[in-house]
Amino acid sequence: CYPSPVPLDRTVEPYGLVFVERTARICGSRREHYGMQIMMRRSPALTPSVTIVVPALDEEENLEASIEILSRTVSERFCDYELLIFDDGSTDRTGEIADQLAIKDSHIRVVHNHGNRGVGYSFQEGVRRATKDFVGWLPADINKLFSPSEIERTLDAVGKADFVMMYLSTDNRPFLRRLTSQGFVKTMNLLFGLKMKYYNGGTFYRRPLIQNV
């Protein structure tokens, strides 16, 4: 698989400036499009710090590689950071690997959930524990889901906006799952007057905004 750049689109929304950047990843004959949305209110420039929540369920094959990618990419871009790994009731060595990573790196903290609580719970708890300027989440298998350049572009956007979200602009999931997802997005946009493309991708928020919700 390799990335093929697609031109940057820019649109003005009622709630601020939204940048949409798309990259096509070509895997054989299959073409998957990734992108991100940035919703921005005018904010003073700053050098941010970031908390990244990493929910992990039975990810012993991916966790170490994903954390290595995150640690390298984040340390190059932020004045300070922390990675909160949530072992979400894993039955393999995920928890053990997470603990070993935390011993080696003081930027890493590990939380062992009592049973499988789900991504939503882990993120909510991660937000509560977060101490940095921005907080967001990324999956524990990003080493398989995204190329390094896609992760870099997403993290480059953190600190330039109040809210950053990743999304799939080409959806190859089963029809029923796509239909359910599209219905959810349309309902949320209708209720809140937004024009978001997706709500369940990796997201980053200015910490006081999300902690006060």
Side-chain angles (χ1 to χ4, degrees):
C1 299
Y2 59 93
S4 173
V6 177
L8 178 71
D9 298 328
R10 299 188 179 188
T11 60
V12 177
E13 305 289 357
Y15 290 85
L17 194 62
V18 177
F19 295 83
V20 181
E21 185 172 358
R22 295 172 182 166
T23 297
R25 178 184 289 180
I26 302 171
C27 302
S29 62
R30 183 163 56 94
R31 191 182 187 91
E32 297 178 349
H33 297 274
Y34 296 84
M36 61 182 172
Q37 283 187 299
I38 307 174
M39 296 192 67
M40 181 167 64
R41 295 182 300 188
R42 300 298 180 184
S43 303
L46 53 81
T47 303
S49 58
V50 66
T51 298
I52 301 181
V53 178
V54 183
L57 173 62
D58 295 336
E59 293 287 358
E60 65 177 7
E61 295 182 359
N62 301 306
L63 183 60
E64 187 169 2
S66 292
I67 293 300
E68 180 181 349
I69 292 169
L70 275 181
S71 296
R72 182 180 66 252
T73 308
V74 173
S75 64
E76 293 172 350
R77 286 165 170 77
F78 297 90
C79 62
D80 193 14
Y81 70 95
E82 60 182 355
L83 306 179
L84 303 185
I85 303 174
F86 279 78
D87 171 25
D88 197 22
S90 299
T91 58
D92 62 5
R93 295 181 58 249
T94 295
E96 178 186 343
I97 293 171
D99 289 337
Q100 292 172 354
L101 292 170
I103 292 172
K104 296 176 183 178
D105 188 343
S106 61
H107 292 97
I108 298 173
R109 290 193 282 151
V110 180
V111 179
H112 297 276
N113 290 344
H114 297 292
N116 178 210
R117 306 297 296 275
V119 172
Y121 171 86
S122 295
F123 180 60
Q124 185 178 30
E125 185 64 16
V127 167
R128 188 183 70 82
R129 294 169 181 256
T131 62
K132 308 307 178 185
D133 298 322
F134 287 80
V135 57
W137 78 276
L138 288 171
D141 56 350
I142 59 169
N143 61 312
K144 290 184 176 179
L145 292 176
F146 304 107
S147 71
S149 63
E150 289 163 348
I151 299 169
E152 290 168 2
R153 283 200 308 277
T154 300
L155 294 176
D156 283 340
V158 177
K160 299 177 181 177
D162 292 324
F163 171 66
V164 176
M165 173 174 283
M166 302 178 73
Y167 68 94
L168 285 171
S169 57
T170 296
D171 195 341
N172 295 317
R173 294 176 297 178
F175 172 75
L176 184 58
R177 189 173 177 186
R178 295 200 311 270
L179 186 65
T180 302
S181 179
Q182 291 168 6
F184 175 75
V185 170
K186 289 180 180 179
T187 300
M188 293 293 288
N189 284 340
L190 181 64
L191 287 173
F192 296 100
L194 300 174
K195 295 183 180 180
M196 300 299 294
K197 297 178 181 292
Y198 197 56
Y199 283 91
N200 296 325
T203 52
F204 289 85
Y205 305 85
R206 194 176 297 279
R207 181 171 57 84
L209 294 180
I210 190 69
Q211 284 184 335
N212 290 330
V213 171

